[in-house]
Amino acid sequence: MWLPMIGMTALPHLGGLYGGYITRKEVNTWYPTLQKPSWRPPNAAFPVVWTCLYTGMGYGSYLVWKELGGFTEDALVPLGLYGLQLALNWAWTPIFFGAHKIKWAMIEIVLLTGTVGATMVSWYPISRTATLLLAPYLSWLCLATSLNYCIWRDNPEEKKKEE
């Protein structure tokens, strides 16, 4: 059972590595030009926090998978919601940092946060431990959603002039 545990725990980090690749350039060029709230976490906190969150969510998915006997019919909703939130998680960075679409990133992170909540509800009857492993993630997403909102509010997109 070591291989599924390691694989499922590592899976979320793949999107994190891709997101880090996109963010690396933008955090030194575009991101500093934005107005940000004074309470935002320092840039150095983000990779540390995401490493912990990705590890927790990945291991939680393994616990649910194991408890349900693998990718069974019973696992469709809880692991399907998990997969959806993971895809939404991975999509946020290219939208925000890659495309500089702050409003679309805001809409996307609200959908992500709701999907994580739904994932937690679906996991609770299966594994309370797995559900609790998502609690710091949901908390961080609330902070990230607030940060995304403030950046969107304080950095209005310039309207293109029609000729």
Side-chain angles (χ1 to χ4, degrees):
M1 279 297 184
W2 283 94
L3 192 57
M5 181 187 67
I6 292 169
M8 293 181 85
T9 301
L11 177 64
H13 293 276
L14 296 177
L17 291 171
Y18 177 66
Y21 175 76
I22 293 171
T23 304
R24 184 173 296 127
K25 175 183 166 227
E26 300 298 330
V27 81
N28 294 320
T29 56
W30 173 71
Y31 191 66
T33 68
L34 299 174
Q35 296 293 320
K36 295 172 281 302
S38 61
W39 49 264
R40 74 176 171 86
N43 291 344
F46 287 86
V48 175
V49 169
W50 279 110
T51 299
C52 295
L53 297 176
Y54 282 141
T55 302
M57 75 173 77
Y59 185 68
S61 73
Y62 164 74
L63 293 176
V64 169
W65 175 85
K66 185 178 86 166
E67 191 64 33
L68 294 175
F71 295 109
T72 62
E73 189 174 331
D74 289 340
L76 184 63
V77 170
L79 293 180
L81 284 168
Y82 172 73
L84 176 59
Q85 73 78 29
L86 195 56
L88 288 168
N89 178 295
W90 291 349
W92 184 87
T93 299
I95 295 168
F96 186 90
F97 281 102
H100 304 169
K101 299 295 185 188
I102 302 169
K103 179 173 80 172
W104 284 108
M106 179 66 208
I107 294 166
E108 200 274 357
I109 202 169
V110 168
L111 291 172
L112 168 59
T113 304
T115 305
V116 171
T119 302
M120 292 175 75
V121 168
S122 75
W123 283 15
Y124 188 77
I126 302 160
S127 171
R128 290 183 181 160
T129 301
T131 306
L132 291 173
L133 285 168
L134 290 183
Y137 177 35
L138 185 62
S139 298
W140 182 261
L141 284 176
C142 290
L143 175 94
T145 302
S146 300
L147 179 58
N148 194 149
Y149 170 76
C150 290
I151 292 172
W152 171 64
R153 179 196 65 201
D154 298 341
N155 296 276
E157 293 180 18
E158 294 181 20
K159 304 282 185 208
K160 292 183 181 178
K161 293 180 183 176
E162 297 195 26
E163 296 178 39

